[in-house]
Amino acid sequence: MKKIITAALLLMAFATQASAAVDVLGVCAGFKGYGHDVNAGSHKRQFYEDGFSQKSILLLQVIRDGKTSYKTAEMVNGETVVDENATYLLSQNPANGTLIIFVDGSAQSYTETYLFKFHQSTGEKGSVVYTQTRNGGSPSVRIMHGECQTS
């Protein structure tokens, strides 16, 4: 389930929930990559170029009651959509600034995995590799890369 809220209300929405603090760890955009649709005819079973230029993906760190969790959000045309599905930190490596995040949207027939790399100490741009797998009416897989600005 995804919740639509405006960008200005994003932090307020989380901050009002039981002493929560929210940090935007990164805003990622300029996604380019490849897709593959499983139902395509045999002559079309190739990967094709894919991407989205009008959408940004945000990684949010939520600290509530001493516990840290993560959420992803999409920002399109100034509107922010927070993915309310279960989101898990699978791995974090402080030595190289990477986090692997998994979003379980299986109730909506999809899953997403993000490999974020942030350079917070140097201020350089970070990056993300994003994968999405869908097994609903049009089974498909996407893999894309984007650049991230960190806070």
Side-chain angles (χ1 to χ4, degrees):
M1 173 187 357
K2 293 187 179 186
K3 182 192 305 183
I4 299 177
I5 55 179
T6 63
L9 296 176
L10 175 65
L11 296 178
M12 288 175 35
F14 281 110
T16 59
Q17 298 176 4
S19 68
V22 178
D23 289 321
V24 178
L25 297 183
V27 178
C28 309
F31 286 85
K32 294 182 181 178
Y34 296 93
H36 178 70
D37 295 323
V38 177
N39 283 347
S42 61
H43 65 286
K44 295 182 181 179
R45 291 190 187 267
Q46 298 178 19
F47 281 88
Y48 54 86
E49 288 190 27
D50 199 359
F52 38 86
S53 60
Q54 302 300 315
K55 177 167 57 174
S56 297
I57 293 178
L58 290 73
L59 177 61
L60 309 173
Q61 181 181 53
V62 182
I63 301 173
R64 182 179 298 121
D65 298 327
K67 296 179 183 175
T68 301
S69 62
Y70 296 87
K71 287 288 183 189
T72 60
E74 297 176 357
M75 190 165 41
V76 181
N77 299 324
E79 200 170 8
T80 302
V81 179
V82 177
D83 194 327
E84 293 295 336
N85 287 299
T87 302
Y88 304 97
L89 173 67
L90 297 182
S91 180
Q92 182 174 17
N93 186 339
N96 64 15
T98 58
L99 297 97
I100 299 174
I101 302 290
F102 176 77
V103 177
D104 182 2
S106 57
Q108 293 87 28
S109 301
Y110 78 92
T111 62
E112 295 176 336
T113 305
Y114 299 85
L115 171 58
F116 291 96
K117 180 168 178 63
F118 296 130
H119 303 280
Q120 290 177 325
S121 61
T122 64
E124 295 177 44
K125 285 186 179 181
S127 63
V128 62
V129 174
Y130 159 83
T131 64
Q132 181 187 69
T133 304
R134 294 193 166 275
N135 67 346
S138 296
S140 62
V141 64
R142 307 277 183 273
I143 183 167
M144 297 185 212
H145 175 267
E147 290 188 346
C148 303
Q149 295 290 331
T150 58
S151 53

